[in-house]
Amino acid sequence: MTDEFPARAARQRIIRTEGGLGRIPVTGVSPVLQGGAYPVKAVVHERLLIQAHVFREGHDAVNASVILTAPGGTQRRIDMVQVEPLGLDVWQAHVRMAAEGDWTYRVEGWSDPWGTWTYNATKKLPAAVDVDLVCMEGRDLLERAAAQAETLRAPGAAHLLRGTAESVTPEADVSELLELITSAPIRRAMARFGPRELVSPTPDYPIRVERRRALYSSWYEFFPRSQGATQGDDGQWHSGTFASSHERLEAAAAMGFHIVYLPPIHPIGSAFRKGKNNSLTPSPQDPGSPWAIGSPEGGHDAIHPDLGDFDDFDEFVSKARSLGLEVALDLALQASPDHPWVGEHPEWFTTRLDGTIAYAENPPKKYQDIYPINFDNDPVGIYHEVLRIVRFWIDRGVTIFRVDNPHTKPVEFWDWLLQRVHETNPEIIFLAEAFTKPQMMSALGTVGFQQSYTYFTWRNLKWELTEYLTELSGEMASHYRPNFFVNTPDINPFFLQSGNPAAFAIRAILAATMSPTWGVYSGFELFEHEALAPGKEEYLNSEKYEYRPRDYDAEPNLNVLMGTLNRLREAHPALQQLRDVHFHHAPHDKVIAFSKSDGDDVVLVVCSLDPDNTVESSLNLDFAALGLPGARQVAVFDELNQERYTWGEEAFVRLYPGRPAHVLHVTAE
């Protein structure tokens, strides 16, 4: 039940014990982050589950409502329902918010006199116990509800309630009277206008509602310097540019991607420059790692001259927008030894006892071409310089930042920065590239990162994927939005190192259907898979250290599949949400089956986890989880293969490398 009313309206007497439980106890409210210190994450029109325990002494009925307050102050009441098992006193409501901004919600527990009366009436009237008193109490409650309906300008409901009150008399036929007071129209009217007593509210908890792209998006990563790069007969390389990358924008848009992500586009240092395959002895032709930011030509607010100038960048962003794409820029807070910061602000780095500046290390890996920033030496200066840089690129049309290694910077800093940006530019999205300990990844999401990289890259087995997606779609969804990248310039997954095209197809299908946001680093569609060395999850001839122009139309490729997956995601709201996921039993350990739903849209995915062999398995479908609890059969349309089937609660699938999955739109038969 939903009702709108002004925030200042006093609807019922409010009972609250400051610092403790109210007259009607409400406990275990969720989702709540850090006691309400941080807002719960949601996007426009996302379905958000709110839950609480609501109970009271004795046997009188209780009820509960969610009071949702919009950024402008307008409030909406959504009545909760008690869920099985009833003895646990769990109440739930789903809410959707239609506008961006900072919302709040609270849960109100309240005494339900109508619920108490109807229970007593159904017991006492048939037994002829206290008939006069029972009818008197019922008429009083109905009259009070009618008055409330008039106050809220609902004359039809007021007329219905008053007419019903007149029928509640000792002379009425008991069976007819009980049928009347329990009828659907009366239940609805009393739910909306009936008395609510001893209303006991929780504190107001914050919800930050962001644009839908913060939850649902498809990312495509490429290096502009490789796009259109050429090598002369003398071995001299000529870099690709922003201008030569327009073709890649068109290709990404044609495949249905929403966001193109660029590695750092800034000048690259010369000191300790890395050569091919991370060599310490570069040749004069080696362009260096884009993450070694800074040279005499500038730092984080400059563009590498090989890529073009600011006019070229502006044209690139404009071209992307014309294609419906947004540009995500890498935000790597570190410096090469040649960065202007090193001379102007040496205090921003860590000086070791031997007088040298500490370079980046992740033993046994060493990054001599990169100096990490020490955020504790001059926090005020560093914090405001980073904010300046972020706003500099926002002014040039960048709407998304992929943040490199945020877990190596203080969480307190991100808390400060993300809030400052939100205050002026709430449309900006930050993606945390943090493959690290769970508590740090969770904390980064809590303080405001809209999206986060995940462990998906290393989850290949059925039990791993089931456990991980269950975790992500549960309590974590209130603060952590996953981005399932299938590969990155740093990660060449073991699952893909065979080069088997079916392995690439399986991982793309899983990423695109399991998470509302997924991403691809270019080369994936061409089945690039050669590892630097056995047992290493790094690419041989990594693009991080050299130019890698590609023929993206070379056969075979995954261009069509990736485009199909993005088209299906766009067509099905079920694939654009995170919180509603159900797994269905498939006995074969190399077959995974799960469904996602949003409203009437239900999608069932059945995918092989074996890229080398045919797998056959029965399926046991949970029709209730599919939103069709009374059905005997369901109609399923395979969106990948354009085939229709009729399935019962038991079905059978045969999947093979050339057709490793079904992505099924489910409807009642």
mmCIF file of all heavy atoms in Angstrom, residues 264 268-269 271-274 278 288-294 300 332-339 342 349-350 352 357-361 366-373 404-405 408-409 544-545:
data_model
loop_
_atom_site.group_PDB
_atom_site.id
_atom_site.type_symbol
_atom_site.label_atom_id
_atom_site.label_comp_id
_atom_site.label_asym_id
_atom_site.label_seq_id
_atom_site.Cartn_x
_atom_site.Cartn_y
_atom_site.Cartn_z
ATOM 1 N N PRO A 264 45.627 5.839 -19.034
ATOM 2 C CA PRO A 264 46.113 7.222 -18.928
ATOM 3 C C PRO A 264 46.566 7.787 -20.271
ATOM 4 O O PRO A 264 47.244 7.103 -21.046
ATOM 5 C CB PRO A 264 47.276 7.112 -17.935
ATOM 6 C CG PRO A 264 46.905 5.945 -17.076
ATOM 7 C CD PRO A 264 46.232 4.975 -18.000
ATOM 8 N N ILE A 268 54.342 10.578 -20.691
ATOM 9 C CA ILE A 268 54.979 9.438 -20.027
ATOM 10 C C ILE A 268 56.436 9.780 -19.736
ATOM 11 O O ILE A 268 57.145 10.331 -20.590
ATOM 12 C CB ILE A 268 54.894 8.186 -20.915
ATOM 13 C CG1 ILE A 268 53.424 7.803 -21.132
ATOM 14 C CG2 ILE A 268 55.666 7.015 -20.305
ATOM 15 C CD1 ILE A 268 53.235 6.683 -22.150
ATOM 16 N N GLY A 269 56.881 9.441 -18.535
ATOM 17 C CA GLY A 269 58.252 9.753 -18.142
ATOM 18 C C GLY A 269 59.282 8.933 -18.887
ATOM 19 O O GLY A 269 58.998 7.850 -19.420
ATOM 20 N N ALA A 271 62.585 8.503 -17.324
ATOM 21 C CA ALA A 271 63.442 7.885 -16.314
ATOM 22 C C ALA A 271 62.925 6.493 -15.963
ATOM 23 O O ALA A 271 61.738 6.318 -15.657
ATOM 24 C CB ALA A 271 63.495 8.760 -15.065
ATOM 25 N N PHE A 272 63.819 5.520 -16.032
ATOM 26 C CA PHE A 272 63.483 4.119 -15.703
ATOM 27 C C PHE A 272 62.324 3.597 -16.553
ATOM 28 O O PHE A 272 61.581 2.718 -16.112
ATOM 29 C CB PHE A 272 63.146 3.973 -14.208
ATOM 30 C CG PHE A 272 64.234 4.430 -13.302
ATOM 31 C CD1 PHE A 272 64.138 5.651 -12.653
ATOM 32 C CD2 PHE A 272 65.366 3.649 -13.105
ATOM 33 C CE1 PHE A 272 65.146 6.084 -11.806
ATOM 34 C CE2 PHE A 272 66.381 4.080 -12.259
ATOM 35 C CZ PHE A 272 66.279 5.302 -11.607
ATOM 36 N N ARG A 273 62.168 4.141 -17.762
ATOM 37 C CA ARG A 273 61.082 3.684 -18.639
ATOM 38 C C ARG A 273 61.202 2.183 -18.872
ATOM 39 O O ARG A 273 62.296 1.649 -19.065
ATOM 40 C CB ARG A 273 61.124 4.432 -19.965
ATOM 41 C CG ARG A 273 60.089 3.940 -20.968
ATOM 42 C CD ARG A 273 60.044 4.809 -22.210
ATOM 43 N NE ARG A 273 59.406 6.104 -21.928
ATOM 44 C CZ ARG A 273 59.058 6.978 -22.873
ATOM 45 N NH1 ARG A 273 59.276 6.696 -24.148
ATOM 46 N NH2 ARG A 273 58.503 8.118 -22.543
ATOM 47 N N LYS A 274 60.063 1.515 -18.876
ATOM 48 C CA LYS A 274 60.029 0.073 -19.093
ATOM 49 C C LYS A 274 59.933 -0.218 -20.595
ATOM 50 O O LYS A 274 59.245 0.475 -21.345
ATOM 51 C CB LYS A 274 58.832 -0.546 -18.371
ATOM 52 C CG LYS A 274 58.909 -0.439 -16.854
ATOM 53 C CD LYS A 274 60.110 -1.180 -16.291
ATOM 54 C CE LYS A 274 60.133 -1.181 -14.784
ATOM 55 N NZ LYS A 274 59.118 -2.064 -14.192
ATOM 56 N N ASN A 278 57.897 -5.471 -19.947
ATOM 57 C CA ASN A 278 58.332 -4.944 -18.646
ATOM 58 C C ASN A 278 59.846 -4.997 -18.467
ATOM 59 O O ASN A 278 60.354 -5.049 -17.350
ATOM 60 C CB ASN A 278 57.640 -5.697 -17.500
ATOM 61 C CG ASN A 278 57.585 -4.881 -16.221
ATOM 62 O OD1 ASN A 278 57.712 -3.659 -16.243
ATOM 63 N ND2 ASN A 278 57.412 -5.559 -15.105
ATOM 64 N N GLY A 288 56.819 3.220 -23.438
ATOM 65 C CA GLY A 288 56.690 3.287 -21.987
ATOM 66 C C GLY A 288 55.275 2.994 -21.524
ATOM 67 O O GLY A 288 54.321 2.977 -22.301
ATOM 68 N N SER A 289 55.145 2.760 -20.230
ATOM 69 C CA SER A 289 53.835 2.464 -19.646
ATOM 70 C C SER A 289 53.035 3.743 -19.440
ATOM 71 O O SER A 289 53.540 4.704 -18.857
ATOM 72 C CB SER A 289 54.001 1.761 -18.294
ATOM 73 O OG SER A 289 52.763 1.725 -17.600
ATOM 74 N N PRO A 290 51.778 3.780 -19.899
ATOM 75 C CA PRO A 290 50.951 4.978 -19.687
ATOM 76 C C PRO A 290 50.743 5.309 -18.215
ATOM 77 O O PRO A 290 50.370 6.438 -17.885
ATOM 78 C CB PRO A 290 49.623 4.612 -20.352
ATOM 79 C CG PRO A 290 49.940 3.518 -21.309
ATOM 80 C CD PRO A 290 51.067 2.746 -20.684
ATOM 81 N N TRP A 291 50.974 4.325 -17.341
ATOM 82 C CA TRP A 291 50.768 4.574 -15.916
ATOM 83 C C TRP A 291 51.992 5.238 -15.260
ATOM 84 O O TRP A 291 51.925 5.613 -14.102
ATOM 85 C CB TRP A 291 50.412 3.268 -15.208
ATOM 86 C CG TRP A 291 48.977 2.884 -15.471
ATOM 87 C CD1 TRP A 291 47.888 3.262 -14.744
ATOM 88 C CD2 TRP A 291 48.478 2.089 -16.544
ATOM 89 N NE1 TRP A 291 46.737 2.747 -15.305
ATOM 90 C CE2 TRP A 291 47.066 2.015 -16.412
ATOM 91 C CE3 TRP A 291 49.074 1.422 -17.615
ATOM 92 C CZ2 TRP A 291 46.265 1.312 -17.306
ATOM 93 C CZ3 TRP A 291 48.282 0.715 -18.500
ATOM 94 C CH2 TRP A 291 46.890 0.660 -18.344
ATOM 95 N N ALA A 292 53.082 5.387 -16.020
ATOM 96 C CA ALA A 292 54.234 6.157 -15.539
ATOM 97 C C ALA A 292 54.015 7.608 -15.953
ATOM 98 O O ALA A 292 54.600 8.122 -16.908
ATOM 99 C CB ALA A 292 55.532 5.603 -16.117
ATOM 100 N N ILE A 293 53.168 8.295 -15.225
ATOM 101 C CA ILE A 293 52.610 9.580 -15.665
ATOM 102 C C ILE A 293 53.556 10.732 -15.338
ATOM 103 O O ILE A 293 54.061 10.845 -14.212
ATOM 104 C CB ILE A 293 51.244 9.813 -14.989
ATOM 105 C CG1 ILE A 293 50.261 8.716 -15.419
ATOM 106 C CG2 ILE A 293 50.697 11.201 -15.314
ATOM 107 C CD1 ILE A 293 48.957 8.731 -14.636
ATOM 108 N N GLY A 294 53.752 11.593 -16.319
ATOM 109 C CA GLY A 294 54.442 12.852 -16.090
ATOM 110 C C GLY A 294 55.785 12.960 -16.775
ATOM 111 O O GLY A 294 56.582 12.020 -16.796
ATOM 112 N N HIS A 300 49.195 15.233 -14.798
ATOM 113 C CA HIS A 300 47.844 14.684 -14.878
ATOM 114 C C HIS A 300 46.843 15.605 -15.582
ATOM 115 O O HIS A 300 45.740 15.154 -15.913
ATOM 116 C CB HIS A 300 47.333 14.375 -13.469
ATOM 117 C CG HIS A 300 47.963 13.158 -12.848
ATOM 118 N ND1 HIS A 300 49.264 13.146 -12.398
ATOM 119 C CD2 HIS A 300 47.464 11.912 -12.613
ATOM 120 C CE1 HIS A 300 49.538 11.960 -11.885
ATOM 121 N NE2 HIS A 300 48.479 11.184 -12.013
ATOM 122 N N ALA A 332 45.018 7.647 -12.241
ATOM 123 C CA ALA A 332 46.108 6.926 -11.583
ATOM 124 C C ALA A 332 46.911 7.932 -10.765
ATOM 125 O O ALA A 332 47.656 8.740 -11.325
ATOM 126 C CB ALA A 332 46.991 6.237 -12.620
ATOM 127 N N LEU A 333 46.749 7.889 -9.468
ATOM 128 C CA LEU A 333 47.384 8.877 -8.590
ATOM 129 C C LEU A 333 48.773 8.398 -8.210
ATOM 130 O O LEU A 333 49.011 7.855 -7.126
ATOM 131 C CB LEU A 333 46.504 9.115 -7.364
ATOM 132 C CG LEU A 333 45.110 9.661 -7.691
ATOM 133 C CD1 LEU A 333 44.318 9.913 -6.419
ATOM 134 C CD2 LEU A 333 45.204 10.936 -8.524
ATOM 135 N N GLN A 334 49.701 8.644 -9.133
ATOM 136 C CA GLN A 334 51.103 8.289 -8.984
ATOM 137 C C GLN A 334 51.871 9.126 -9.986
ATOM 138 O O GLN A 334 51.262 9.841 -10.794
ATOM 139 C CB GLN A 334 51.297 6.800 -9.263
ATOM 140 C CG GLN A 334 50.813 6.395 -10.650
ATOM 141 C CD GLN A 334 50.360 4.960 -10.725
ATOM 142 O OE1 GLN A 334 49.870 4.390 -9.762
ATOM 143 N NE2 GLN A 334 50.531 4.356 -11.899
ATOM 144 N N ALA A 335 53.181 9.051 -9.959
ATOM 145 C CA ALA A 335 53.978 9.926 -10.825
ATOM 146 C C ALA A 335 55.238 9.221 -11.281
ATOM 147 O O ALA A 335 55.822 8.412 -10.544
ATOM 148 C CB ALA A 335 54.341 11.212 -10.087
ATOM 149 N N SER A 336 55.646 9.536 -12.496
ATOM 150 C CA SER A 336 56.968 9.104 -12.928
ATOM 151 C C SER A 336 58.005 10.010 -12.258
ATOM 152 O O SER A 336 57.675 11.098 -11.761
ATOM 153 C CB SER A 336 57.079 9.211 -14.446
ATOM 154 O OG SER A 336 57.435 10.529 -14.825
ATOM 155 N N PRO A 337 59.268 9.602 -12.244
ATOM 156 C CA PRO A 337 60.295 10.486 -11.680
ATOM 157 C C PRO A 337 60.401 11.822 -12.401
ATOM 158 O O PRO A 337 60.998 12.765 -11.860
ATOM 159 C CB PRO A 337 61.581 9.658 -11.839
ATOM 160 C CG PRO A 337 61.115 8.239 -11.863
ATOM 161 C CD PRO A 337 59.806 8.275 -12.586
ATOM 162 N N ASP A 338 59.811 11.916 -13.606
ATOM 163 C CA ASP A 338 59.895 13.150 -14.389
ATOM 164 C C ASP A 338 58.665 14.042 -14.228
ATOM 165 O O ASP A 338 58.571 15.090 -14.877
ATOM 166 C CB ASP A 338 60.059 12.807 -15.877
ATOM 167 C CG ASP A 338 61.304 11.974 -16.143
ATOM 168 O OD1 ASP A 338 62.342 12.262 -15.520
ATOM 169 O OD2 ASP A 338 61.221 11.030 -16.950
ATOM 170 N N HIS A 339 57.723 13.634 -13.394
ATOM 171 C CA HIS A 339 56.490 14.403 -13.213
ATOM 172 C C HIS A 339 56.810 15.760 -12.579
ATOM 173 O O HIS A 339 57.679 15.857 -11.697
ATOM 174 C CB HIS A 339 55.532 13.612 -12.311
ATOM 175 C CG HIS A 339 54.111 14.084 -12.354
ATOM 176 N ND1 HIS A 339 53.712 15.317 -11.870
ATOM 177 C CD2 HIS A 339 52.979 13.477 -12.798
ATOM 178 C CE1 HIS A 339 52.400 15.446 -12.023
ATOM 179 N NE2 HIS A 339 51.931 14.340 -12.590
ATOM 180 N N VAL A 342 57.300 16.048 -8.756
ATOM 181 C CA VAL A 342 58.502 15.598 -8.058
ATOM 182 C C VAL A 342 59.406 16.785 -7.722
ATOM 183 O O VAL A 342 59.983 16.857 -6.628
ATOM 184 C CB VAL A 342 59.260 14.556 -8.905
ATOM 185 C CG1 VAL A 342 60.563 14.150 -8.211
ATOM 186 C CG2 VAL A 342 58.380 13.325 -9.134
ATOM 187 N N PHE A 349 55.865 12.710 -1.711
ATOM 188 C CA PHE A 349 56.363 11.358 -1.910
ATOM 189 C C PHE A 349 57.096 10.894 -0.657
ATOM 190 O O PHE A 349 57.296 11.663 0.288
ATOM 191 C CB PHE A 349 57.279 11.313 -3.140
ATOM 192 C CG PHE A 349 56.621 11.843 -4.386
ATOM 193 C CD1 PHE A 349 56.755 13.183 -4.755
ATOM 194 C CD2 PHE A 349 55.830 11.022 -5.169
ATOM 195 C CE1 PHE A 349 56.125 13.682 -5.888
ATOM 196 C CE2 PHE A 349 55.200 11.508 -6.306
ATOM 197 C CZ PHE A 349 55.342 12.840 -6.664
ATOM 198 N N THR A 350 57.493 9.643 -0.650
ATOM 199 C CA THR A 350 58.210 9.072 0.497
ATOM 200 C C THR A 350 59.700 9.044 0.199
ATOM 201 O O THR A 350 60.139 8.437 -0.793
ATOM 202 C CB THR A 350 57.717 7.642 0.787
ATOM 203 O OG1 THR A 350 56.339 7.686 1.149
ATOM 204 C CG2 THR A 350 58.515 7.021 1.932
ATOM 205 N N ARG A 352 63.285 7.766 1.283
ATOM 206 C CA ARG A 352 63.878 6.712 2.085
ATOM 207 C C ARG A 352 65.131 7.209 2.804
ATOM 208 O O ARG A 352 65.614 8.329 2.556
ATOM 209 C CB ARG A 352 64.193 5.510 1.195
ATOM 210 C CG ARG A 352 62.925 4.911 0.578
ATOM 211 C CD ARG A 352 63.209 3.714 -0.283
ATOM 212 N NE ARG A 352 63.963 4.052 -1.486
ATOM 213 C CZ ARG A 352 64.133 3.220 -2.520
ATOM 214 N NH1 ARG A 352 63.612 2.003 -2.476
ATOM 215 N NH2 ARG A 352 64.828 3.603 -3.573
ATOM 216 N N ILE A 357 63.763 8.701 -3.506
ATOM 217 C CA ILE A 357 62.303 8.604 -3.424
ATOM 218 C C ILE A 357 61.898 7.156 -3.674
ATOM 219 O O ILE A 357 62.394 6.512 -4.612
ATOM 220 C CB ILE A 357 61.635 9.539 -4.434
ATOM 221 C CG1 ILE A 357 61.910 11.004 -4.048
ATOM 222 C CG2 ILE A 357 60.128 9.299 -4.504
ATOM 223 C CD1 ILE A 357 61.334 12.017 -5.016
ATOM 224 N N ALA A 358 61.007 6.640 -2.850
ATOM 225 C CA ALA A 358 60.576 5.246 -2.961
ATOM 226 C C ALA A 358 59.730 5.064 -4.213
ATOM 227 O O ALA A 358 58.793 5.826 -4.458
ATOM 228 C CB ALA A 358 59.773 4.849 -1.720
ATOM 229 N N TYR A 359 60.076 4.060 -4.997
ATOM 230 C CA TYR A 359 59.259 3.721 -6.161
ATOM 231 C C TYR A 359 58.240 2.652 -5.771
ATOM 232 O O TYR A 359 58.287 2.074 -4.682
ATOM 233 C CB TYR A 359 60.121 3.284 -7.341
ATOM 234 C CG TYR A 359 61.057 2.120 -7.082
ATOM 235 C CD1 TYR A 359 60.579 0.810 -7.010
ATOM 236 C CD2 TYR A 359 62.431 2.332 -6.941
ATOM 237 C CE1 TYR A 359 61.436 -0.249 -6.780
ATOM 238 C CE2 TYR A 359 63.298 1.269 -6.713
ATOM 239 C CZ TYR A 359 62.781 -0.018 -6.624
ATOM 240 O OH TYR A 359 63.636 -1.066 -6.392
ATOM 241 N N ALA A 360 57.331 2.363 -6.679
ATOM 242 C CA ALA A 360 56.239 1.432 -6.387
ATOM 243 C C ALA A 360 56.741 -0.002 -6.421
ATOM 244 O O ALA A 360 57.543 -0.378 -7.283
ATOM 245 C CB ALA A 360 55.109 1.610 -7.396
ATOM 246 N N GLU A 361 56.260 -0.792 -5.485
ATOM 247 C CA GLU A 361 56.608 -2.202 -5.434
ATOM 248 C C GLU A 361 55.386 -3.019 -5.025
ATOM 249 O O GLU A 361 54.562 -2.579 -4.221
ATOM 250 C CB GLU A 361 57.719 -2.465 -4.411
ATOM 251 C CG GLU A 361 59.056 -1.864 -4.755
ATOM 252 C CD GLU A 361 60.127 -2.279 -3.751
ATOM 253 O OE1 GLU A 361 60.683 -3.386 -3.902
ATOM 254 O OE2 GLU A 361 60.381 -1.491 -2.818
ATOM 255 N N LYS A 366 58.505 -4.932 -9.284
ATOM 256 C CA LYS A 366 59.031 -3.604 -9.027
ATOM 257 C C LYS A 366 58.641 -2.677 -10.174
ATOM 258 O O LYS A 366 58.696 -3.066 -11.333
ATOM 259 C CB LYS A 366 60.561 -3.642 -8.893
ATOM 260 C CG LYS A 366 61.061 -4.427 -7.685
ATOM 261 C CD LYS A 366 62.578 -4.358 -7.589
ATOM 262 C CE LYS A 366 63.091 -5.098 -6.360
ATOM 263 N NZ LYS A 366 64.568 -4.994 -6.242
ATOM 264 N N TYR A 367 58.244 -1.473 -9.818
ATOM 265 C CA TYR A 367 57.834 -0.477 -10.815
ATOM 266 C C TYR A 367 58.722 0.766 -10.621
ATOM 267 O O TYR A 367 58.293 1.782 -10.073
ATOM 268 C CB TYR A 367 56.357 -0.126 -10.656
ATOM 269 C CG TYR A 367 55.437 -1.331 -10.731
ATOM 270 C CD1 TYR A 367 55.035 -1.985 -9.581
ATOM 271 C CD2 TYR A 367 54.994 -1.812 -11.957
ATOM 272 C CE1 TYR A 367 54.202 -3.097 -9.639
ATOM 273 C CE2 TYR A 367 54.163 -2.925 -12.034
ATOM 274 C CZ TYR A 367 53.774 -3.553 -10.863
ATOM 275 O OH TYR A 367 52.958 -4.659 -10.936
ATOM 276 N N GLN A 368 59.965 0.655 -11.087
ATOM 277 C CA GLN A 368 60.928 1.744 -10.869
ATOM 278 C C GLN A 368 60.527 3.026 -11.586
ATOM 279 O O GLN A 368 61.038 4.109 -11.261
ATOM 280 C CB GLN A 368 62.318 1.304 -11.337
ATOM 281 C CG GLN A 368 62.892 0.117 -10.580
ATOM 282 C CD GLN A 368 62.560 -1.222 -11.222
ATOM 283 O OE1 GLN A 368 61.573 -1.336 -11.945
ATOM 284 N NE2 GLN A 368 63.398 -2.238 -10.969
ATOM 285 N N ASP A 369 59.616 2.902 -12.550
ATOM 286 C CA ASP A 369 59.198 4.085 -13.316
ATOM 287 C C ASP A 369 58.026 4.811 -12.672
ATOM 288 O O ASP A 369 57.496 5.770 -13.251
ATOM 289 C CB ASP A 369 58.830 3.679 -14.744
ATOM 290 C CG ASP A 369 57.763 2.589 -14.800
ATOM 291 O OD1 ASP A 369 57.574 1.878 -13.795
ATOM 292 O OD2 ASP A 369 57.117 2.449 -15.858
ATOM 293 N N ILE A 370 57.625 4.405 -11.464
ATOM 294 C CA ILE A 370 56.452 5.000 -10.815
ATOM 295 C C ILE A 370 56.773 5.329 -9.360
ATOM 296 O O ILE A 370 57.280 4.487 -8.613
ATOM 297 C CB ILE A 370 55.239 4.038 -10.878
ATOM 298 C CG1 ILE A 370 54.774 3.859 -12.327
ATOM 299 C CG2 ILE A 370 54.100 4.539 -10.010
ATOM 300 C CD1 ILE A 370 53.698 2.803 -12.498
ATOM 301 N N TYR A 371 56.451 6.560 -8.957
ATOM 302 C CA TYR A 371 56.554 6.971 -7.561
ATOM 303 C C TYR A 371 55.145 7.023 -6.950
ATOM 304 O O TYR A 371 54.292 7.768 -7.433
ATOM 305 C CB TYR A 371 57.170 8.368 -7.434
ATOM 306 C CG TYR A 371 58.658 8.459 -7.712
ATOM 307 C CD1 TYR A 371 59.259 9.708 -7.883
ATOM 308 C CD2 TYR A 371 59.462 7.327 -7.779
ATOM 309 C CE1 TYR A 371 60.623 9.825 -8.126
ATOM 310 C CE2 TYR A 371 60.822 7.433 -8.031
ATOM 311 C CZ TYR A 371 61.395 8.676 -8.209
ATOM 312 O OH TYR A 371 62.741 8.789 -8.438
ATOM 313 N N PRO A 372 54.875 6.264 -5.893
ATOM 314 C CA PRO A 372 53.588 6.410 -5.202
ATOM 315 C C PRO A 372 53.530 7.724 -4.434
ATOM 316 O O PRO A 372 54.564 8.280 -4.034
ATOM 317 C CB PRO A 372 53.561 5.218 -4.240
ATOM 318 C CG PRO A 372 54.709 4.343 -4.629
ATOM 319 C CD PRO A 372 55.705 5.216 -5.315
ATOM 320 N N ILE A 373 52.326 8.203 -4.223
ATOM 321 C CA ILE A 373 52.116 9.429 -3.445
ATOM 322 C C ILE A 373 51.945 9.064 -1.978
ATOM 323 O O ILE A 373 51.268 8.096 -1.635
ATOM 324 C CB ILE A 373 50.883 10.191 -3.964
ATOM 325 C CG1 ILE A 373 51.125 10.663 -5.389
ATOM 326 C CG2 ILE A 373 50.540 11.370 -3.068
ATOM 327 C CD1 ILE A 373 49.907 11.233 -6.061
ATOM 328 N N ASP A 404 42.784 3.785 -10.646
ATOM 329 C CA ASP A 404 43.816 2.764 -10.576
ATOM 330 C C ASP A 404 44.262 2.557 -9.133
ATOM 331 O O ASP A 404 44.621 3.514 -8.431
ATOM 332 C CB ASP A 404 45.005 3.206 -11.441
ATOM 333 C CG ASP A 404 46.024 2.115 -11.641
ATOM 334 O OD1 ASP A 404 45.693 1.095 -12.266
ATOM 335 O OD2 ASP A 404 47.169 2.282 -11.159
ATOM 336 N N ASN A 405 44.219 1.315 -8.676
ATOM 337 C CA ASN A 405 44.731 0.950 -7.349
ATOM 338 C C ASN A 405 44.248 1.864 -6.218
ATOM 339 O O ASN A 405 45.054 2.379 -5.447
ATOM 340 C CB ASN A 405 46.261 0.940 -7.360
ATOM 341 C CG ASN A 405 46.829 -0.221 -8.146
ATOM 342 O OD1 ASN A 405 46.240 -1.297 -8.201
ATOM 343 N ND2 ASN A 405 47.973 -0.005 -8.767
ATOM 344 N N THR A 408 45.485 1.437 -2.494
ATOM 345 C CA THR A 408 46.800 1.855 -2.005
ATOM 346 C C THR A 408 46.792 3.312 -1.549
ATOM 347 O O THR A 408 47.854 3.872 -1.268
ATOM 348 C CB THR A 408 47.864 1.654 -3.104
ATOM 349 O OG1 THR A 408 47.544 2.475 -4.231
ATOM 350 C CG2 THR A 408 47.916 0.196 -3.541
ATOM 351 N N LYS A 409 45.606 3.896 -1.485
ATOM 352 C CA LYS A 409 45.438 5.262 -0.972
ATOM 353 C C LYS A 409 44.490 5.210 0.221
ATOM 354 O O LYS A 409 43.688 4.287 0.348
ATOM 355 C CB LYS A 409 44.857 6.200 -2.046
ATOM 356 C CG LYS A 409 45.838 6.570 -3.164
ATOM 357 C CD LYS A 409 45.960 5.489 -4.202
ATOM 358 C CE LYS A 409 46.916 5.856 -5.335
ATOM 359 N NZ LYS A 409 47.158 4.701 -6.236
ATOM 360 N N LYS A 544 50.699 -2.747 -22.425
ATOM 361 C CA LYS A 544 51.126 -1.722 -21.468
ATOM 362 C C LYS A 544 52.497 -1.153 -21.822
ATOM 363 O O LYS A 544 52.827 -0.033 -21.410
ATOM 364 C CB LYS A 544 51.177 -2.314 -20.057
ATOM 365 C CG LYS A 544 49.834 -2.693 -19.481
ATOM 366 C CD LYS A 544 49.925 -3.021 -17.997
ATOM 367 C CE LYS A 544 50.789 -4.223 -17.727
ATOM 368 N NZ LYS A 544 50.860 -4.525 -16.272
ATOM 369 N N TYR A 545 53.285 -1.925 -22.587
ATOM 370 C CA TYR A 545 54.660 -1.519 -22.844
ATOM 371 C C TYR A 545 54.986 -1.354 -24.322
ATOM 372 O O TYR A 545 56.128 -1.045 -24.665
ATOM 373 C CB TYR A 545 55.623 -2.556 -22.235
ATOM 374 C CG TYR A 545 55.326 -2.851 -20.790
ATOM 375 C CD1 TYR A 545 54.761 -4.064 -20.413
ATOM 376 C CD2 TYR A 545 55.583 -1.907 -19.794
ATOM 377 C CE1 TYR A 545 54.471 -4.340 -19.092
ATOM 378 C CE2 TYR A 545 55.296 -2.169 -18.471
ATOM 379 C CZ TYR A 545 54.731 -3.386 -18.117
ATOM 380 O OH TYR A 545 54.448 -3.641 -16.805
#
